[in-house]
């Protein structure tokens, strides 16, 4: 839903090239992680077979698991904060609550959503979310289809927006973190493979899915940016109401907003699962004997995590695009690029006769570190209203 706004930051050609590069690198690094697992699973290597990203990290470095888990926690909490801010943004664009200011309305909406989401995080049996997750996915794809149709209608009626930057936009440096944020899913590669009926097909499935995702993001982002230009909103659902010429259309857009908010709400507890599992295993590992109170202590802890997300979301609400880019820079880029290449270099490439694999891994590490630093600095500078602009 925020893809088109990111294209405004990067420009058509610049954003497309970065998305293609990040998508290809993310896919390659997922493959590197699978190679690491295969190498460590070999009978000649002592130790248990790695089943998670953290397991591989622990075999490479004594503090590897902590680093990976810390970044996963940061990225997932970041996703949840964005969800809260996202709901507040599209809700306040369609509904006015009395005479409240924009800031107060955002706080009220986010607080209400957090109050509903907190008890949902108490649910232990994830299969109970099966139906709601299916409905949420149907709503999301329907909303995307409507948005694409609205963008095409805008193009047909008014042509390409005059403000479109075809090359590279001046805010291009901020785009790296945002792009990787969209593609980062490497922590789920090994768990998904473990649940597959035919695990040997993981490489093919992974590459096919990533190709579809990259093409989808590039296509939808380009169409939306071409339709609205610099008038594209940070959350493109806001642009739909401007296309309506009747009350019926406006009411349907409001219904879409409500349904989309509900779908995001039911996705929220699923995004909290990795955070809850990692932190509870560390905090409550010695409290298993006190089972009578442990259940409610964990529930209180999960409520506190939702409260933390709420506080961060309120603080970052006015600059959602900057917050997304910072999370992408500090957590997603290392998870997606730097760490898989480092692990591969230490586990696999070190045993190869040629240096090609090692050089390739080093190149990815250097690229990831540079992209992380540049994107982070550019995002912070832009948030501080002193953006680093390219002379274009």
């Amino acid at each position: 839903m925020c893809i088109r706004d990111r294209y405004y930051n990067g420009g058509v050609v610049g954003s497309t090239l970065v998305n293609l590069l990040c998508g290809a690198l993310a896919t390659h690094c997922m493959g590197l992680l699978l190679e690491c697992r295969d190498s460590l699973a070999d009978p000649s290597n002592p130790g248990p077979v790695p089943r998670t990203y953290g397991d591989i990290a622990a075999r490479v470095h004594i503090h590897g698991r902590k680093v990976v888990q810390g970044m996963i926690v940061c990225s997932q909490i970041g996703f949840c904060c964005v969800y809260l801010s996202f709901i507040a943004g599209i809700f306040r664009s369609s509904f006015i609550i009395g005479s409240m200011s924009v800031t107060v309305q955002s706080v009220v909406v986010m607080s209400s959503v957090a109050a509903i989401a907190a008890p949902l995080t108490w649910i232990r049996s994830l299969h109970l979310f099966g139906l709601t997750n299916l409905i949420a996915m149907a709503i999301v794809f329907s909303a995307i289809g409507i948005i694409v149709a609205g963008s095409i209608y805008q193009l047909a009626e008014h042509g390409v927006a005059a403000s479109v930057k075809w090359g590279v936009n001046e805010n291009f440096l901020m785009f790296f973190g945002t792009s990787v944020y969209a593609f980062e899913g490497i922590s789920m590669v090994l768990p998904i493979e473990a649940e597959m009926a035919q695990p040997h097909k993981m490489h093919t499935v992974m590459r096919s899915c990533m190709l579809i995702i990259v093409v989808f993001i590039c296509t939808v982002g380009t169409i939306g940016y071409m339709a609205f230009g610099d008038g594209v909103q940070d959350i493109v659902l806001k642009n739909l109401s401007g296309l309506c010429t009747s009350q019926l259309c406006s009411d349907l857009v409001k219904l879409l907003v409500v349904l989309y908010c509900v779908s995001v709400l039911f996705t929220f507890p699923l995004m909290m699962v990795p955070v809850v599992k990692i932190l509870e295993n560390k905090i409550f590992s010695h409290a298993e004997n006190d089972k009578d109170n442990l259940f409610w202590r964990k529930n209180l802890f999960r409520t506190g995590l939702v409260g933390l997300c709420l506080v961060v979301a309120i603080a970052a609400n006015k600059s959602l695009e900057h917050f997304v880019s910072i999370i992408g820079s500090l957590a997603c880029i290392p998870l997606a690029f730097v760490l898989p290449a480092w692990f591969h270099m230490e586990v696999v490439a070190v045993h190869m006769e040629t240096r090609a694999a090692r050089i390739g891994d080093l190149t990815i590490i250097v690229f990831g570190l540079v992209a992380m630093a540049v994107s982070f600095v550019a995002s912070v500078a832009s948030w501080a209203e002193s953006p680093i602009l390219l002379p274009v």
Side-chain angles (χ1 to χ4, degrees):
M1 290 298 159
C2 303
I3 296 172
R4 298 158 180 79
D5 175 56
R6 309 304 173 248
Y7 263 68
Y8 166 67
N9 286 332
V12 175
V13 174
S15 299
T16 301
L17 289 177
V18 169
N19 279 333
L20 291 173
L21 174 62
C22 290
L25 267 182
T27 306
H28 176 70
C29 289
M30 289 177 186
L32 295 183
L33 199 66
L34 290 172
E35 287 184 28
C36 290
R37 192 284 316 281
D38 292 341
S39 177
L40 292 172
D42 190 276
S44 61
N45 280 317
V49 176
R51 299 185 182 279
T52 66
Y53 198 166
D55 290 344
I56 293 176
R59 297 282 292 273
V60 174
H61 193 274
I62 188 173
H63 298 300
R65 188 189 300 276
K66 294 179 181 178
V67 172
V68 168
Q69 290 182 339
M71 289 184 177
I72 290 175
V73 168
C74 290
S75 63
Q76 294 299 120
I77 287 180
F79 291 148
C80 292
C81 295
V82 170
Y83 280 5
L84 293 176
S85 184
F86 178 89
I87 291 175
I90 60 174
F91 196 87
R92 71 168 181 259
S93 69
S94 301
F95 301 95
I96 299 175
I97 305 176
S99 57
M100 292 183 183
S101 65
V102 172
T103 300
V104 173
Q105 183 174 338
S106 296
V107 172
V108 170
V109 172
M110 285 190 282
S111 299
S112 301
V113 172
I116 299 172
L120 293 177
T121 63
W122 300 353
I123 298 174
R124 269 66 171 175
S125 301
L126 296 183
H127 71 273
L128 296 176
F129 288 104
L131 179 59
T132 57
N133 193 42
L134 183 63
I135 295 173
M137 289 179 62
I139 293 172
V140 169
F141 283 109
S142 298
I144 291 173
I146 293 171
I147 290 170
V148 171
S151 300
I152 293 174
Y153 171 79
Q154 175 76 358
L155 283 171
E157 288 292 313
H158 304 285
V160 177
S163 58
V164 168
K165 293 289 184 69
W166 291 100
V168 175
N169 213 344
E170 57 188 8
N171 260 331
F172 176 74
L173 295 179
M174 245 183 71
F175 189 74
F176 279 98
T178 305
S179 180
V180 181
Y181 183 95
F183 293 116
E184 196 285 304
I186 193 168
S187 59
M188 295 303 297
V189 170
L190 294 181
I192 289 175
E193 186 195 37
E195 296 297 324
M196 291 179 65
Q198 297 176 304
H200 62 280
K201 293 185 177 180
M202 180 60 186
H203 283 278
T204 302
V205 172
M206 178 183 69
R207 289 166 184 155
S208 301
C209 290
M210 288 298 292
L211 176 61
I212 293 172
I213 292 171
V214 170
V215 172
F216 171 80
I217 287 177
C218 291
T219 303
V220 174
T222 300
I223 291 174
Y225 178 49
M226 288 172 60
F228 298 104
D230 59 8
V232 68
Q233 299 289 325
D234 56 349
I235 300 169
V236 78
L237 273 174
K238 297 178 182 179
N239 287 105
L240 284 183
S241 58
L243 301 178
C244 292
T245 57
S246 66
Q247 185 61 41
L248 176 61
C249 178
S250 297
D251 292 340
L252 289 175
V253 169
K254 290 181 179 180
L255 176 61
L256 179 64
V257 167
V258 172
L259 291 175
Y260 201 88
C261 288
V262 171
S263 71
V264 174
L265 174 62
F266 281 115
T267 307
F268 185 96
L270 297 178
M271 299 301 292
M272 287 291 291
V273 169
V275 179
V276 167
K277 286 188 174 181
I278 290 172
L279 296 182
E280 285 187 351
N281 285 340
K282 294 183 178 299
I283 296 173
F284 299 104
S285 59
H286 302 294
E288 293 298 328
N289 294 328
D290 187 18
K291 292 185 178 181
D292 292 337
N293 296 320
L294 185 59
F295 178 82
W296 288 107
R297 287 170 61 189
K298 286 185 176 181
N299 287 347
L300 181 62
F301 175 72
R302 296 179 183 196
T303 303
L305 286 176
V306 176
L308 173 63
C309 292
L310 174 62
V311 172
V312 175
I314 291 173
N317 184 53
K318 291 185 178 179
S319 298
L320 180 60
E321 68 276 15
H322 300 112
F323 182 70
V324 169
S325 185
I326 288 173
I327 292 296
S329 302
L330 296 182
C332 297
I333 289 179
L335 280 174
F337 300 154
V338 179
L339 295 180
W342 174 37
F343 297 164
H344 186 267
M345 184 172 65
E346 294 294 330
V347 174
V348 180
V350 70
H351 299 297
M352 292 184 174
E353 295 182 359
T354 63
R355 294 184 177 181
R358 192 175 182 84
I359 293 173
D361 292 337
L362 280 172
T363 302
I364 294 173
I365 292 171
V366 172
F367 170 79
L369 292 175
V370 171
M372 180 174 65
V374 170
S375 181
F376 174 72
V377 171
S379 300
V380 172
S382 181
W383 199 342
E385 298 183 353
S386 300
I388 303 173
L389 303 178
L390 294 180
V392 294

